[in-house]
Amino acid sequence: MMIPETTFNTIVYVWIAIAVLVFPLLLKVTAPYGRHTKKNWGPMMSNRLGWFVMELPALAVFVFFIVKGGRFYNSLVLAALVLWLIHYVNRAFIFPWRLRTSSKKIPVIIVGMAIFFNLINGFLNGYWLGCLSSEYPHSWVRSARFVIGIILFIIGFFINQYHDHLLIKLRKNNGSTYKIPYGGLFRYISCPNYFGEIIQWAGFAILTWNIASFSFFLWTFVNLFPRAIDHHRWYKKQFPDYPESRKAIIPFLF
Ligand code: NDP
């Protein structure tokens, strides 16, 4: 059964409205994982397993709808699939095993919320591109929109990967110690990995140019901007010698 486009669009607009409502909430409430973990958020589970089960749904649902639609002959759909796979194969199958946090726990409720978030985003993006959109013309991949989008995606991906790598490397062994990160864009901001991720999904939204991918970009911003503010505040409190000029997430601004 196909979902009519008007119903699909309504779902996306509701999803966008929820993001707008959640943003001020996240500026007040710190999501309790990583350095902000709290034990009063109910049962906890392994951090590594948590990352795996949180991220897998975005990969599985997106790929399911692309395969269901069978539009592999369409160059834009194929390009979007490759980019999605590059990001989510890393995030679900590689990233959790690189983390030096084997002793850490994550609240099950955070994992549950992230699964829900990833199911919705995987569905909206996969269903739109794979099944619902009118076909993107083959010339789309030569358009300025596609070229600008893919350049942003690639730049964002490398910024995200490189700074995740610098952060993970700060810990010699599995443990829970934190150090002041240096190198790359840490010179300007406390959370360049988040900055990269936001650029990456802005690129994806531009290259696929639809309301579903825009909603994913918006949600990424809504999740990561407040978290970067929390990290930045935490660093300043934790380390009296924290670099003064460093901003939280947007160089020279925030
Ligand atoms: P963080 O930057 O908080 O942490 C990344 C890893 O580095 C963790 O293992 C963390 O350990 C470790 N780490 C961070 N800072 C330090 C430090 N100063 N010293 C030592 N170790 C450190 O990122 P998140 O865990 O929040 O997110 C991980 C990835 O997931 C990022 O790339 C992010 O962009 C992405 N993400 C995307 C979202 C989206 O909506 N698209 C939402 C959330 C995350 P520990 O866990 O022990 O703190």
Side-chain angles (χ1 to χ4, degrees):
M1 189 195 79
M2 285 288 286
I3 300 174
E5 193 170 334
T6 46
T7 310
F8 181 86
N9 286 340
T10 308
I11 297 170
V12 182
Y13 288 128
V14 170
W15 189 230
I16 288 174
I18 297 173
V20 172
L21 293 175
V22 163
F23 185 61
L25 213 73
L26 285 181
L27 287 171
K28 287 217 166 79
V29 182
T30 305
Y33 72 92
R35 78 198 61 191
H36 309 291
T37 299
K38 289 202 182 87
K39 296 214 167 80
N40 59 353
W41 279 64
M44 312 278 279
M45 65 185 287
S46 145
N47 188 54
R48 194 178 306 256
L49 182 64
W51 271 99
F52 173 68
V53 297
M54 290 194 284
E55 300 299 322
L56 193 59
L59 178 65
V61 173
F62 183 90
V63 172
F64 173 82
F65 285 109
I66 297 291
V67 171
K68 188 170 187 286
R71 296 174 173 177
F72 297 106
Y73 52 85
N74 186 288
S75 37
L76 185 269
V77 173
L78 209 55
L81 174 64
V82 169
L83 298 177
W84 197 273
L85 285 175
I86 288 172
H87 178 84
Y88 277 108
V89 166
N90 170 60
R91 192 60 92 218
F93 292 104
I94 301 170
F95 177 77
W97 279 270
R98 289 179 56 219
L99 297 175
R100 293 173 181 176
T101 60
S102 65
S103 57
K104 279 204 134 169
K105 302 269 184 219
I106 185 168
V108 173
I109 192 163
I110 290 291
V111 174
M113 289 193 298
I115 289 174
F116 176 73
F117 168 76
N118 281 327
L119 279 173
I120 303 276
N121 286 318
F123 160 69
L124 292 179
N125 284 279
Y127 194 71
W128 174 261
L129 289 167
C131 306
L132 198 59
S133 65
S134 49
E135 302 245 338
Y136 287 81
H138 284 296
S139 59
W140 186 275
V141 293
R142 291 191 298 275
S143 67
R145 212 174 266 171
F146 182 86
V147 174
I148 293 168
I150 201 157
I151 290 172
L152 282 177
F153 185 97
I154 291 167
I155 291 174
F157 179 79
F158 280 108
I159 293 178
N160 175 259
Q161 289 294 307
Y162 177 62
H163 296 92
D164 267 351
H165 166 75
L166 290 184
L167 286 172
I168 292 168
K169 233 177 48 173
L170 282 176
R171 264 184 212 141
K172 292 272 174 292
N173 304 304
N174 283 310
S176 53
T177 52
Y178 291 92
K179 292 182 188 151
I180 300 179
Y182 291 99
L185 293 177
F186 282 114
R187 182 165 178 185
Y188 304 104
I189 47 179
S190 295
C191 301
N193 52 339
Y194 294 171
F195 177 62
E197 179 121 8
I198 290 170
I199 294 177
Q200 192 183 327
W201 295 111
F204 190 82
I206 292 171
L207 77 94
T208 57
W209 205 253
N210 64 79
I211 193 76
S213 59
F214 170 76
S215 75
F216 184 35
F217 157 68
L218 181 69
W219 265 104
T220 299
F221 181 85
V222 163
N223 280 330
L224 296 182
F225 185 90
R227 191 162 177 80
I229 304 283
D230 288 334
H231 275 21
H232 188 61
R233 218 175 271 145
W234 181 92
Y235 274 126
K236 293 215 307 208
K237 207 165 134 198
Q238 204 72 15
F239 301 104
D241 54 338
Y242 197 67
E244 269 291 313
S245 60
R246 210 179 271 192
K247 299 286 184 190
I249 183 163
I250 301 178
F252 312 110
L253 291 176
F254 293 103

